[in-house]
Amino acid sequence: MLNVKDLSYHYPNGDGITNISIKLEKGDHLAIIGESGCGKSTLIKCLYGLMDLDQGSIVWKGDKVLGPAYNLVPGYSKFKHLSQEFDLMPFTTAEENIQKFLSRETPEENQNRSDDLISIFDLEDVKNQKVKTLSGGQKQRVALAQALANPPELILLDEPFSHIDQFLKHKLRRRLFQFLKSENITCIFATHDADDVLPFSDWTMILKQGKAIDYRSTPRVYNAPVNMYCASLFGDVNMVDSKEFKLDLEQDQVLIYPDEIEIGSKAKWTGTLKHSYFKGSHYLLELSYKSKSIFVTSETHFEEGSQINFELNSEKIKQRLN
């Protein structure tokens, strides 16, 4: 359905993206993740047709997606693009903005569609307010609903939850991606938040300095990270010597997540607790071991300076890597 081959685009200062290739089927969800300035937003704009590429091609269902040099109005008509700057009509209501692109020939159907989206994005209390009076998070929710009112074949989202309050974010995230799956809408979204990626993307692309350094199914990207940078995008991680910790693995250096390390009085190695971070369901312990930091999860609180015995769960690590 979507076939992107060797896409490159660079700004006059040399920043940009280089040799990006993507293949997606209808209904697939792709997360693009990486540090600030890595090229996420640039890639989203290129895919929508807002840039004239230096090289490469973008093809959707056999049709080429071309840039502004080929289109009076930039942007591919079968796609929707939601940027970090919302294109809303400030002096009309939230509901009127959502209905902006709906045909007037089917008013009852359109009202039902609008009502569904207002409910999905928790906009009932503000649907009759003018957009100029809304908060940034409310505007972002209106923009999401507007983009989905007339369903696109593919939607491109750039940091779709950046302005939304934390207490709403988890619920809205579930509702949005469930809705997209139910309508079989292909989705590509740029984010810096691993909570957007792991539960809701089929595929993940990791960018660094404009290049894709990993692009696989999301479970494989997480379970077998290609390097420390990739693993650290999902949280704290340890790089350990497999021989030192007697792990029966082919690689000498292995990336270990904190929940793959167990603590107990009979464990083989001992570290000194530098810091304990309360995480709600558990504590994240930072241990000092041979002048290095080792991050471990624990259900129990310990005082800083405590001697903590720990052991790597080799079976859990092997199961993840296989």
Side-chain angles (χ1 to χ4, degrees), residues 54-196:
D54 296 339
Q55 69 173 41
S57 61
I58 305 167
V59 177
W60 174 258
K61 292 184 176 179
D63 294 335
K64 285 188 177 182
V65 178
L66 300 173
Y70 300 87
N71 294 291
L72 184 62
V73 180
Y76 187 59
S77 61
K78 295 180 181 178
F79 296 172
K80 290 284 181 66
H81 171 233
L82 183 65
S83 69
Q84 297 183 51
E85 299 176 2
F86 320 124
D87 183 21
L88 298 172
M89 301 180 294
F91 297 103
T92 57
T93 67
E95 185 175 50
E96 287 168 335
N97 271 269
I98 293 169
Q99 296 174 351
K100 176 181 177 181
F101 297 111
L102 294 175
S103 169
R104 296 182 180 180
E105 295 179 3
T106 55
E108 184 175 348
E109 181 180 325
N110 293 346
Q111 188 63 52
N112 291 337
R113 179 74 172 185
S114 175
D115 289 344
D116 287 344
L117 290 166
I118 286 169
S119 175
I120 288 170
F121 293 105
D122 270 357
L123 293 166
E124 291 94 338
D125 292 341
V126 299
K127 69 177 184 179
N128 295 318
Q129 287 183 221
K130 286 184 168 55
V131 163
K132 68 174 185 176
T133 68
L134 302 182
S135 68
Q138 289 167 337
K139 289 176 183 177
Q140 189 164 34
R141 285 184 276 149
V142 172
L144 280 166
Q146 183 191 77
L148 294 169
N150 188 3
E153 295 183 3
L154 182 150
I155 189 165
L156 297 148
L157 306 173
D158 192 355
E159 300 286 357
F161 309 106
S162 58
H163 296 275
I164 294 175
D165 293 331
Q166 196 67 29
F167 78 96
L168 271 177
K169 185 180 294 186
H170 300 298
K171 177 172 68 173
L172 292 175
R173 190 160 39 199
R174 289 192 297 270
R175 288 182 175 182
L176 171 63
F177 289 113
Q178 287 168 2
F179 178 84
L180 294 175
K181 280 294 185 181
S182 70
E183 303 244 335
N184 206 26
I185 296 171
T186 308
C187 177
I188 300 176
F189 61 100
T191 183
H192 64 277
D193 190 342
D195 288 337
D196 294 345

Side-chain angles (χ1 to χ4, degrees), residues 34-53:
E35 62 191 352
S36 297
C38 68
K40 299 188 297 292
S41 295
T42 300
L43 178 53
I44 291 288
K45 291 175 182 177
C46 287
L47 293 174
Y48 185 55
L50 296 181
M51 310 290 201
D52 293 312
L53 306 181

Side-chain angles (χ1 to χ4, degrees), residues 234-245:
F234 298 101
D236 295 292
V237 66
N238 306 291
M239 175 74 81
V240 303
D241 187 311
S242 58
K243 292 180 180 178
E244 178 182 2
F245 290 98

